[in-house]
Amino acid sequence: MSLQYPLKKTNRLELFNFALFGVLLLLYAPILLHWLDGWLKKSISIEHEYFSHGIIGIPFAAYLVWSHRKQWGRLPNIAHPLGGALLVVGSCFYLTGVPEWVNLSFPVILTGICFWFKGFAGFKLQSFPLLLVFLATPTAIPYLITPFTLPLQSFIAGTAAFVLHQFGMEVVVDGINIYVGGRIVEVAPYCAGLKMLFTTLYISLILLYWVGILSDKRKTIWFLSSAVLISVTANVIRNTLLTYFHGTAQDQTFKWLHDGWGGDLYSAVMLLSLIPVLNWIDRRFSVN
């Protein structure tokens, strides 16, 4: 004798969720792969390279969404009107075909899905993964900020010259240009350290969330401030080394640190230094 069971509502919901995931995968997989390929091979525009921290952040966001799946399932199915509005806006962004708007449609549609299916509670549950996706979405922000980096460029040039002068090198500074050994080194806008700063703050947010102290305002402010200081200091040291290598005709070493794997290694070591700083701040401000 065979028994027949009615199709449960939860099963229908799961099927719908899988279908929705499939649609999103078809729409955005090519875009995400384009970002990944550009970040890894540095074949994407310079402005988009500022968001290469998405290599870490987007998979981590996906992991968090997966880990929240049971909590998501327990939330009531309440549609918030904002969800429908965001889905419409995101769809319009995607259909424009303009790269900037298509990119932005990704976090907009994901946010709309949260509001549409689970209301504000769903958005709150997935707020941090959504933030990681938004901050990893390539936009024109670096291009808009670049014209205002001149004071930072001048500061880096002056500091690098001062350090090299302490080692007995003849260094002349003219604005953002450094003259060493008859060679000129320009601290260009894209050498001002904004990419490193963006990545540092992004990874700092992930570390704060991972340790579970993101909601502690005092620890968060102290750590983010320390991270900014570490990033700026590391960038000044890097530019000083680049100036030294270029001024002393060590061109291979210059290329290795400037746009080779040496630069990636340098950034990785700098980011790893954030971990002991976070541990110290966590212990320092913990209630005994």
Side-chain angles (χ1 to χ4, degrees):
M1 187 175 84
S2 62
L3 297 176
Q4 294 183 348
Y5 294 94
L7 185 63
K8 294 183 180 180
K9 182 179 179 180
T10 54
N11 291 336
R12 293 198 299 269
L13 184 60
E14 288 178 359
L15 288 175
F16 179 78
N17 289 338
F18 279 118
L20 179 63
F21 176 77
V23 172
L24 289 175
L25 191 64
L26 288 174
L27 290 175
Y28 288 102
I31 297 174
L32 294 175
L33 289 175
H34 171 66
W35 294 354
L36 178 62
D37 182 72
W39 291 335
L40 290 175
K41 298 180 180 178
K42 298 183 179 181
S43 58
I44 206 166
S45 67
I46 294 178
E47 288 80 15
H48 283 202
E49 279 191 35
Y50 277 66
F51 300 91
S52 59
H53 47 252
I55 295 176
I56 298 174
I58 293 178
F60 184 66
Y63 163 77
L64 291 179
V65 171
W66 176 257
S67 64
H68 293 163
R69 66 189 185 282
K70 292 183 179 178
Q71 294 170 267
W72 176 268
R74 288 194 292 265
L75 292 176
N77 298 322
I78 301 176
H80 194 287
L82 182 59
L86 289 173
L87 288 173
V88 171
V89 171
S91 300
C92 291
F93 281 1
Y94 189 92
L95 293 174
T96 62
V98 179
E100 295 290 339
W101 295 115
V102 173
N103 291 346
L104 279 173
S105 71
F106 185 51
V108 171
I109 284 182
L110 291 179
T111 304
I113 289 174
C114 291
F115 274 108
W116 183 252
F117 286 101
K118 299 293 182 177
F120 184 79
F123 168 75
K124 184 178 180 181
L125 176 64
Q126 308 293 2
S127 58
F128 190 72
L130 288 172
L131 177 64
L132 293 181
V133 171
F134 174 73
L135 294 178
T137 300
T139 63
I141 290 179
Y143 178 79
L144 298 174
I145 294 177
T146 296
F148 303 97
T149 60
L150 184 59
L152 183 57
Q153 293 169 255
S154 300
F155 169 76
I156 293 172
T159 305
F162 173 78
V163 172
L164 292 175
H165 184 71
Q166 305 310 305
F167 288 92
M169 297 186 68
E170 292 294 330
V171 183
V172 177
V173 180
D174 181 15
I176 61 174
N177 297 312
I178 311 173
Y179 296 87
V180 183
R183 289 188 164 201
I184 181 175
V185 179
E186 178 190 5
V187 181
Y190 298 111
C191 297
L194 289 181
K195 181 180 183 296
M196 185 179 291
L197 182 60
F198 284 1
T199 301
T200 301
L201 291 174
Y202 191 84
I203 298 301
S204 296
L205 287 175
I206 292 178
L207 291 174
L208 286 167
Y209 183 88
W210 185 262
V211 176
I213 59 175
L214 186 58
S215 58
D216 190 316
K217 293 182 179 180
R218 184 169 60 167
K219 292 180 180 180
T220 297
I221 292 173
W222 268 94
F223 181 58
L224 292 180
S225 300
S226 301
V228 170
L229 180 61
I230 291 172
S231 177
V232 173
T233 302
N235 187 59
V236 169
I237 295 173
R238 178 175 178 270
N239 276 277
T240 302
L241 292 173
L242 288 172
T243 303
Y244 172 78
F245 293 144
H246 187 69
T248 55
Q250 300 184 48
D251 296 333
Q252 290 298 323
T253 310
F254 176 87
K255 290 185 64 176
W256 173 76
L257 184 59
H258 184 259
D259 51 10
W261 64 270
D264 297 329
L265 177 62
Y266 185 87
S267 298
V269 172
M270 187 273 295
L271 292 173
L272 286 174
S273 70
L274 296 174
I275 297 176
V277 174
L278 177 59
N279 291 334
W280 179 83
I281 290 176
D282 189 24
R283 292 192 304 268
R284 176 68 175 79
F285 295 101
S286 295
V287 179
N288 295 326

